Amino acid sequence: MTEGAPSLAAWQLLRLASPQLPIGGYSYSQGLELAVDSGLVHDPDSAARWIGDHLSLNLARFEAPLLLAHCEAAAAGDWERLKQLADQHRASRETRELHLESRQMGYSLQQLLDDLPEQDDAARALLRALREPGLAVAWALAARAWAIPPRDALAAWLWGWLENQLAVLMKTLPLGQQAAQRLTSALLPQLDQARRTASEIQPNHWGGAAFGLALASMAHERQYSRLFRS
């Protein structure tokens, strides 16, 4: 490759962030489908409010720093810390479908990693020792396997989350690709702020109050007709 070309880690980062990563993220809406069905989200402005609130009230203050801590522990080979974080992540799933989402995507990523040469024996052993490894620990071990720095792995996860939310909107609202791109432009500053907050917040300040998300998820479990599993 020519001088100044991307490093292997940069290519691996694109790989991790790609919607083609076969872990089934497209199957889940994280409550957004229920919000659309109930009329809480009905146009680009209401979608921006829902996604922006999710970013600032939930992801930035809890989900994202917890994921970053997973990635840092995996990169350092701190297996005891990683086990504790994986237990904390599993316990924090507030509804049945959010638990199943994390478990299924974690399982799919584990199956992928087990079949790739980049995964080391210590990481394989940890995954096999965990009870129902979730997405966060599997994501952290994928970042370790592909030599992706923890904060870059966090950025990839946040981008994948936003991209999936926009894909949900295009399937459930009359929202075209150009409108989705305008919404992306509006939300990127909040996405970056969530990344910065997650990188700076101390563990004793982790925590969110995403009551609307929990209620939407519980209601979605009983939604009569739906496209998504959560």
Side-chain angles (χ1 to χ4, degrees):
M1 298 181 71
T2 61
E3 184 178 354
S7 66
L8 178 59
W11 294 122
Q12 299 285 32
L13 177 62
L14 293 173
R15 179 186 189 181
L16 185 62
S18 172
Q20 296 303 313
L21 193 71
I23 59 176
Y26 59 85
S27 300
Y28 304 97
S29 79
Q30 295 207 339
L32 182 52
E33 183 178 27
L34 187 281
V36 172
D37 186 69
S38 65
L40 289 170
V41 173
H42 52 84
D43 61 13
D45 288 343
S46 57
R49 285 194 299 272
W50 176 273
I51 294 174
D53 284 351
H54 198 163
L55 278 168
S56 61
L57 299 177
N58 183 32
L59 267 64
R61 300 191 59 82
F62 183 69
E63 296 283 351
L66 182 58
L67 181 97
L68 178 59
H70 277 76
C71 294
E72 290 171 343
D78 189 344
W79 306 121
E80 189 58 37
R81 170 68 170 158
L82 191 53
K83 288 179 184 178
Q84 293 171 355
L85 290 165
D87 288 341
Q88 183 177 357
H89 185 268
R90 185 173 61 251
S92 71
R93 302 305 89 188
E94 295 180 299
T95 67
R96 179 177 179 271
E97 67 173 25
L98 290 176
H99 168 74
L100 292 175
E101 175 184 340
S102 177
R103 186 179 74 178
Q104 184 58 54
M105 293 178 70
Y107 173 80
S108 298
L109 189 48
Q110 177 185 4
Q111 295 298 109
L112 170 65
L113 292 172
D114 278 344
D115 200 41
L116 295 177
E118 297 98 329
Q119 185 78 298
D120 59 69
D121 290 340
R124 292 180 197 276
L126 175 76
L127 275 175
R128 294 193 179 106
L130 290 174
R131 180 172 64 89
E132 298 181 350
L135 176 61
V137 66
W139 190 273
L141 291 174
R144 171 187 167 89
W146 295 334
I148 298 170
R151 293 194 179 193
D152 288 347
L154 169 64
W157 179 79
L158 284 167
W159 171 252
W161 178 88
L162 177 60
E163 190 172 45
N164 187 63
Q165 290 284 282
L166 294 171
V168 171
L169 290 173
M170 286 190 287
K171 293 176 182 177
T172 56
L173 283 180
L175 188 77
Q177 291 183 336
Q178 289 187 342
Q181 286 299 317
R182 289 193 294 271
L183 196 53
T184 301
S185 294
L187 288 167
L188 278 178
Q190 290 176 268
L191 190 75
D192 193 55
Q193 181 59 54
R195 178 192 60 81
R196 292 197 303 270
T197 299
S199 301
E200 296 166 1
I201 193 170
Q202 296 301 307
N204 61 320
H205 289 154
W206 290 359
F211 301 120
L213 173 63
L215 291 171
S217 179
M218 287 188 286
H220 187 264
E221 292 176 0
R222 301 185 300 277
Q223 187 171 324
Y224 175 70
S225 177
R226 61 186 189 178
L227 297 173
F228 300 93
R229 298 174 67 180
S230 79

